[in-house]
Amino acid sequence: MNLKIDVQDAGQEYRITLAGEIDAYTAPNLKEKFMEIAEQDDVRITIDLTDVSYMDSTGLGVFIALLKAIKKHNGSLKFVGVSERLKRLFDITGLTDILNVNSQVEGGVK
């Protein structure tokens, strides 16, 4: 399956909506898109995972690289629409301690 990436740009604030699977096949394209945005100063990124049906460790690696790049440029990163399944993956790997993960979508509950 493919991964759909929708980027909404409002100046230094981005909302990225992902749909599909984040795995070894789709992660390189995702990382490329993210890094273009992450290297801006003071950028704020919200990633909506509502429609992500699957994610493996490759996807987690992309998000860690994204967080490092954003912090280097004084930006912020948060996740919304995180399913119980994905939340468990973040919990098991300890990433909920360093990533802003929220199961609610702004403007409503998933």
Side-chain angles (χ1 to χ4, degrees):
M1 179 168 193
N2 289 327
L3 178 66
K4 182 178 179 224
I5 305 168
D6 179 44
V7 178
Q8 297 174 2
D9 176 1
Q12 290 299 100
E13 198 158 322
Y14 288 83
R15 181 173 188 91
I16 301 171
T17 303
L18 304 177
E21 297 181 356
I22 304 172
D23 56 21
Y25 177 73
T26 60
N29 183 40
L30 182 61
K31 185 173 183 179
E32 182 180 316
K33 290 244 191 231
F34 279 159
M35 290 308 151
E36 293 170 10
I37 298 167
E39 294 179 351
Q40 299 176 39
D41 289 333
D42 302 314
V43 71
R44 291 179 307 279
I45 299 175
T46 299
I47 299 176
D48 187 343
L49 300 175
T50 301
D51 295 321
V52 171
S53 57
Y54 174 82
M55 182 168 57
D56 66 12
S57 61
T58 312
L60 293 175
V62 169
F63 292 140
I64 292 168
L66 175 63
L67 179 65
K68 286 180 181 179
I70 288 171
K71 285 192 175 237
K72 184 177 178 182
H73 295 278
N74 299 314
S76 67
L77 172 66
K78 69 178 172 179
F79 295 88
V80 297
V82 179
S83 68
E84 284 300 314
R85 182 183 211 172
L86 292 180
K87 175 87 166 58
R88 197 166 38 251
L89 181 61
F90 284 117
D91 286 341
I92 289 169
T93 57
L95 291 176
T96 49
D97 295 337
I98 61 170
L99 296 174
N100 183 351
V101 178
N102 188 340
S103 62
Q104 295 184 348
V105 177
E106 292 152 355
V109 177
K110 179 182 177 316

